[in-house]
Amino acid sequence: MEENGGSDGVSNAHWWWALAGATQLGWGIASFRRGLIGNSSLVPLKAFAIASLFVGGGASCAIASLKASGIHKVEDMMEVGASIRSGLGIRPRPQDE
């Protein structure tokens, strides 16, 4: 998967993920505050749609924070976890190979 980035090879995709997350969260909050409009038989569908906006917005924000911090692969996340464990003074986990 090719990412759009600058000429120095650094990706700026996290800004698009952050924008998408903020848009979804804003739309979800606006829909929630608007409340029930129309037929009451559509309440479950509307509740599902609003919940989906909140979940999608949260997921987009999580992806944006991972991309902004430079974590692009599982191995990157494992390195971060290992550095956190060593910083806390916890022994490293034994590796199964």
Side-chain angles (χ1 to χ4, degrees):
M1 183 166 100
E2 186 176 320
E3 296 184 28
N4 295 332
S7 60
D8 57 355
V10 177
S11 172
N12 294 320
H14 60 277
W15 292 111
W16 291 109
W17 282 98
L19 180 65
T23 302
Q24 285 180 325
L25 288 174
W27 191 13
I29 290 170
S31 298
F32 180 74
R33 293 189 74 195
R34 191 174 331 136
L36 176 64
I37 297 174
N39 192 353
S40 64
S41 65
L42 297 176
V43 170
L45 177 65
K46 291 178 182 181
F48 178 76
I50 292 171
S52 297
L53 286 171
F54 282 115
V55 170
S60 295
C61 291
I63 294 295
S65 65
L66 287 174
K67 287 193 171 288
S69 64
I71 298 174
H72 301 290
K73 296 183 275 186
V74 175
E75 290 80 17
D76 297 337
M77 191 66 189
M78 291 173 61
E79 290 175 15
V80 170
S83 67
I84 290 172
R85 287 180 65 85
S86 65
L88 293 173
I90 301 172
R91 292 183 307 178
R93 292 185 177 179
Q95 299 294 322
D96 294 331
E97 294 184 30

